[in-house]
Amino acid sequence: MDLGEDSGRIGSVPVTTSRNMSSSSSQFFSANQSPFFSPRLSSCQLSESTRSDAQCDGILLSADPLSSSSGIPDPETLANVGYLLSDMSPAPPAACGSSSFQKFDRISSSTGISNTAASSYSNAQDNSYSGHRERLKKYGRHYGVTSTPGPVSLSFNRMRSYDIFIGFHGRKQSLMRFVNWLQAELEVQGMSCFLSDRARLKSSHKHGVVERAMDVSSFGVVIITNKSFRNPYTIEELQFFSDKKNLVPIFFDLNPSDCLVRDIIEKRGELWEKHGGELWVLYGGLEKEWTEAVHGLSRVDEWKLEAQDGNWRDCILKAVALLAMKLGRRSVVERLSKWREKVEKEEFPFPRNENFIGRKKELSELEFILFGDVTGDSERDYFELKARPRRKNLTIGWGKSSTFDERRRERQHESRRKGKEPVVWKESEKEIEMQSTDAPHKPQLPRSKSSGKYPRRKRSTKILYGKGIACVSGDAGIGKTELLLEFAYRYHQRYKMVLWVGGESRYIRQNYLNLWSFLEVDVGLENCTEKSRIRSFEEQEEAAVSRIRKELMRNIPFLIVIDNLESEKDWWDHKLVMDLLPRFGGETHILISTRLSRAINLEPLKLSYLSGVEAMVLMQGAVKDYSIREIDVLRHIEEKLGRSTLGLAIVGAILSELPITPSRLLETTNRMPLKDFSWSGREAHPLRRNTFLLQLFEVCFSIFDHADGPRSLATRMIQASGWFAPCAIPVSLLAQAANKIPEKHRRTLLWRKLLHSLTCGLASSYTKRSEAEASSMLIRFNIARSSTKQGCIQVNELIKLYARKRAVIGAPQAMVQAVISRGSISKHPEHIWAACFLLFGFGRDTVIVDLKVSDLLYLVKEVVLPLAIRTFFMFSRCSAALELLRLCTSALEAAEQAFVAPVEKWLDKSLCWRPIQTNAQLNPCLWQELALSRAIVLETRAKLMLRGGQFDISDDLIRKTIFIRNSVCGEDHPTTISARETLSKITRLLANVQNHTSI
């Protein structure tokens, strides 16, 4: 979009509110600390005259980056500001917030004057520079001298000081996004900011406030665009901060070499042919003053920062580090340096695909859906059409957020946007309808085909543009993850960080809470300081999620990528996944991939197959000189694969790695036998209808076996991978599981044992080499993909599903044994959870793996208890941790029942007088250890139940613990005494609760 198009636009930054507003929200917290508000006056209590004055003057007082809108006090209210500053004290932080949130809340009290109220830019320009000069004379201001006439009694020595003054000019959406991000980032790092677009202010009192803020600011950051040189206030800011030697210019979509006076005046270069000329005439001042201000930019060598479309993140972080150094805050620089090192290693789950093919249309359409605009090369792919006059009602989400009034406000806001007409691709005739309408429609209830009490809710059928959320759907193996990964790499500089979240229903909540390390938010239970009442487990889990959501709803933009969303509801508690996400329309964007036809009430962007040319390029691989006959064979293979992108990539890898022609590959694949699988479930649908793809998988397994023998490590790694969690798998852990898969024929010759004993010293290096070779082979044939985590790979979910369907004997047991023996709770928690799913049968699942009693005891002590405690306290996932302990208790009880069951042996049958014995009698030590392990689990459950106020259940559990320890250890054993003390505590708490309820 042309920068000059903003000059005549009437619009405002959309005002969005959080879905969970409360009296302790940041909006009220910010308003009470602002020196321009009366403590008794909130933004929602302003009079009609005040609101109309705010809309005309175009000024918004805002401090906290979380507060999306505030009201504007009248001049009489501003008159009392000077007397209120000394009496104000910061509002206390939330009682149950994390330490990092307390820090953020304390430093978010800086006050800025923003420009997010609706007003006409043309009205502000009509004042011209003559009125501006008269105001300067009236105030007697000459860059450092400020006085305040009229009713404003704010004295200079009472004005709070600011670290940074941020001045900018313009209403372009990208500029506003950049400026808000810069302010929020500075405030998060503890630097107070004052933000203002002075060209939009018409009140002399507010101009005086801004001018005094400039005086008391340590540094002045001025955002330079091609429209800044015609703005008198930007020129004044450049002169003022240049004289004070504290100017920090940021060139937005400009280069310092573009800002030369002679080029601007003489209209030299493509940029200034349209925007150049005698800009001091539009500026309204003298040519000499204007020339000196522009020349001052060239004299600032150390501070020059450039914000281009591809380096926003680097520019903002560099600006924050530079300003922190100048302010003497080295801790901020060190913290930023550590954070950047962490992001460089862990931001993306996979390295970028350098051989990414096609999807140009989808990438630009995703950009348009998220941002409501396209920039750079993508802009050439669109052309404008006449807008449609009307559109159907649009709903998003559930509940109160879908009311008619809110939809009407959204439509009225979108109708004011200029330059955002419906667009289509040049290569397509399908129109993309924008969210705009002339008048609201009357809401109509959907007709229900059923005769039930409640009618069926009509779902949304429109894509939202410019709301910051996009959904991509398609069949398995079509390339959804590749598309999201390419988009994230291409546009990651527009966000502070890309947050990748696996969308599998059993893991999505944990994956979402894992973001705490990047957002520096504590989601554990230990941070709660509220002692007035005990919160339920549900409240504690919601509090942990809300801390993540709150951090994502600042003005700092993040990109949340939810890959492979399996269901709209969480598997654990069946709550909507949308409750995890921040509000739509904010700075944080959400990108979802799913196989569902619709997700969170949005119509997704349906991903189609690659074009014929792109598919041919993908299949040819490194070989480009096939004959016409072989090209026809490739087209035939494409049709048989159902145009699956995964299958095309595997074909290309085979043709690149092996000296084989497409015709020979087709013949080999057709002859590959397949087992008769019983397909069931929605997830097996892609495999059920594409048998040629399954035969291609078998071709790859045969290639691996031919290269490495009948027990190829690569093939066994694929067989074991089907039971791991849907995330990156350490190669050493995967190889360990693969080696534990039993052979079909257990024949170990004497010479093989002798060879093993002789080469045991070389086994370690050979194992590592074979693991590396096997993983490299899987990656080269596109069966797996490399991960940014060192020593890890990720196998395609479609291939893992096929590996589970093949049902190799011993593969689940091998995976569980490898995870128990080699897994780390801190490094591999997802895979440990996957092993627990196989062992305990969560939900309606059946138990797949049975362990020996000795292995079960080791599992309880070394895996289950640490995992449950970590999940409970570190992530506030109370229900999941308690369910794990409950199922573990049931498994121990079942093992005890088996121990006390009579055991008959063939030798005992001949000795009729010998009494029948049990395993408990045959192995008394093992039986006692089993009973004590169950007591430990019961005691742990009892203590955790206290955290949620479940005193009755806790009392019953601890009594069972005391009974077991009395029977095994005796009454005077320390563990028995400790359990009795816990029972006394529970009894006191239960009595207090009963007394309180009776009163």
Side-chain angles (χ1 to χ4, degrees), residues 404-687:
F404 172 74
D405 292 336
E406 290 191 13
R407 295 198 299 271
R408 182 182 61 185
R409 285 195 295 269
E410 288 182 2
R411 290 196 297 265
Q412 290 174 348
H413 166 68
E414 292 293 333
S415 65
R416 292 194 298 264
R417 294 161 58 104
K418 294 185 178 180
K420 295 293 185 294
E421 302 298 333
V423 293
V424 300
W425 283 91
K426 293 180 180 179
E427 61 194 41
S428 173
E429 297 179 359
K430 180 180 178 180
E431 295 184 4
I432 302 174
E433 185 177 357
M434 285 294 297
Q435 190 175 218
S436 61
T437 184
D438 295 334
H441 304 284
K442 294 182 180 180
Q444 297 179 356
L445 294 176
R447 297 180 180 179
S448 176
K449 296 182 180 179
S450 61
S451 58
K453 181 178 179 181
Y454 299 101
R456 183 180 300 173
R457 185 178 70 246
K458 185 177 181 180
R459 308 198 65 169
S460 171
T461 57
K462 296 299 177 185
I463 297 176
L464 291 180
Y465 291 91
K467 291 297 183 181
I469 178 169
C471 184
V472 179
S473 70
D475 296 334
I478 198 65
K480 300 183 296 296
T481 301
E482 289 288 347
L483 177 65
L484 267 59
L485 185 67
E486 179 64 21
F487 181 89
Y489 270 105
R490 187 171 296 190
Y491 299 101
H492 72 280
Q493 280 289 331
R494 298 191 188 183
Y495 305 95
K496 182 176 181 180
M497 186 180 178
V498 177
L499 304 173
W500 200 277
V501 178
E504 293 76 15
S505 58
R506 296 193 181 192
Y507 302 91
I508 184 172
R509 184 179 292 268
Q510 182 63 56
N511 294 337
Y512 185 79
L513 292 174
N514 285 340
L515 302 180
W516 72 272
S517 60
F518 301 106
L519 302 176
E520 299 178 349
V521 177
D522 189 1
V523 296
L525 295 182
E526 296 297 333
N527 63 341
C528 185
T529 59
E530 183 182 2
K531 301 298 182 181
S532 60
R533 69 180 183 89
I534 297 178
R535 299 183 301 169
S536 65
F537 293 134
E538 185 177 0
E539 290 177 327
Q540 296 179 45
E541 292 182 357
E542 290 179 354
V545 172
S546 66
R547 291 171 203 146
I548 300 290
R549 290 181 64 248
K550 180 181 178 182
E551 191 63 25
L552 292 173
M553 286 191 292
R554 297 181 182 272
N555 279 336
I556 299 178
F558 290 93
L559 176 62
I560 303 176
V561 179
I562 302 179
D563 189 24
N564 191 24
L565 180 66
E566 286 185 346
S567 174
E568 294 183 353
K569 294 183 179 180
D570 183 35
W571 183 83
W572 292 94
D573 51 13
H574 304 289
K575 290 186 177 180
L576 297 174
V577 173
M578 195 185 72
D579 294 338
L580 301 176
L581 306 177
R583 67 170 184 263
F584 304 148
E587 298 297 333
T588 294
H589 289 174
I590 302 165
L591 191 56
I592 302 172
S593 71
T594 181
R595 280 181 280 178
L596 303 173
S597 59
R598 283 189 177 89
I600 60 173
N601 219 21
L602 285 173
E603 181 187 0
L605 173 65
K606 296 181 180 179
L607 197 62
S608 60
Y609 304 108
L610 293 175
S611 66
V613 176
E614 295 166 347
M616 193 61 60
V617 172
L618 188 58
M619 283 190 295
Q620 286 180 348
V623 183
K624 305 296 182 182
D625 54 350
Y626 287 120
S627 63
I628 298 177
R629 178 177 177 275
E630 297 297 337
I631 294 294
D632 293 336
V633 172
L634 287 177
R635 292 195 180 97
H636 185 58
I637 292 176
E638 178 189 359
E639 294 296 332
K640 292 183 69 68
L641 285 172
R643 297 182 179 180
S644 170
T645 306
L646 174 63
L648 300 179
I650 294 177
V651 169
I654 294 175
L655 296 178
S656 299
E657 294 289 333
L658 302 177
I660 186 174
T661 61
S663 56
R664 180 68 181 277
L665 176 60
L666 177 61
E667 180 184 357
T668 304
T669 307
N670 287 328
R671 291 186 303 174
M672 189 62 59
L674 270 181
K675 296 181 180 179
D676 187 14
F677 298 116
S678 59
W679 302 104
S680 62
R682 182 180 60 185
E683 63 178 6
H685 178 67
L687 296 179

Side-chain angles (χ1 to χ4, degrees), residues 117-136:
S119 65
S120 173
Y121 178 86
S122 58
N123 291 340
Q125 285 293 100
D126 290 341
N127 293 331
S128 73
Y129 189 63
S130 59
H132 170 66
R133 300 285 277 183
E134 291 177 4
R135 283 194 297 271
L136 291 182

Side-chain angles (χ1 to χ4, degrees), residues 908-920:
D908 296 336
K909 294 180 180 179
S910 61
L911 305 175
C912 300
W913 60 87
R914 179 175 298 180
I916 297 177
Q917 293 181 330
T918 63
N919 279 326

Side-chain angles (χ1 to χ4, degrees), residues 194-320:
F194 194 103
L195 177 67
S196 175
D197 181 0
R198 300 164 65 207
R200 302 182 62 82
L201 308 182
K202 294 188 293 182
S203 171
S204 59
H205 303 287
K206 295 167 186 176
H207 275 287
V209 170
V210 177
E211 290 165 0
R212 283 188 299 279
M214 293 171 60
D215 287 332
V216 297
S217 297
S218 300
F219 293 93
V221 176
V222 181
I223 311 298
I224 306 297
T225 65
N226 58 1
K227 292 170 54 178
S228 299
F229 299 115
R230 68 185 68 185
N231 180 28
Y233 300 98
T234 302
I235 299 301
E236 181 192 353
E237 292 164 4
L238 291 176
Q239 287 180 308
F240 175 70
F241 291 114
S242 294
D243 293 342
K244 293 180 65 175
K245 308 297 183 182
N246 60 355
L247 172 65
V248 183
I250 297 180
F251 298 88
F252 188 82
D253 288 339
L254 286 177
N255 294 320
S257 59
D258 295 330
C259 302
L260 300 178
V261 174
R262 188 175 64 178
D263 292 344
I264 298 174
I265 294 176
E266 298 178 0
K267 294 188 176 183
R268 294 188 177 181
E270 296 181 0
L271 178 65
W272 300 118
E273 288 179 0
K274 181 177 180 180
H275 302 286
E278 299 177 351
L279 294 184
W280 64 83
V281 177
L282 297 175
Y283 152 66
L286 301 177
E287 178 184 0
K288 182 179 180 180
E289 293 179 357
W290 181 87
T291 303
E292 290 178 355
V294 178
H295 273 313
L297 291 174
S298 61
R299 293 193 293 267
V300 184
D301 295 328
E302 180 184 2
W303 299 90
K304 289 180 181 179
L305 298 170
E306 300 179 33
Q308 304 294 339
D309 184 54
N311 73 333
W312 281 17
R313 181 199 297 183
D314 294 339
C315 178
I316 287 178
L317 294 181
K318 184 178 180 181
V320 173

Side-chain angles (χ1 to χ4, degrees), residues 850-871:
D850 291 324
L851 292 180
K852 298 179 181 178
V853 175
S854 57
D855 294 336
L856 181 62
L857 293 175
Y858 178 84
L859 174 74
V860 172
K861 293 180 181 179
E862 302 297 331
V863 177
V864 173
L865 285 175
L867 178 64
I869 293 173
R870 180 179 186 268
T871 303

Side-chain angles (χ1 to χ4, degrees), residues 4 106 150 360 439 582 714:
R106 286 196 298 270
K360 181 181 179 182

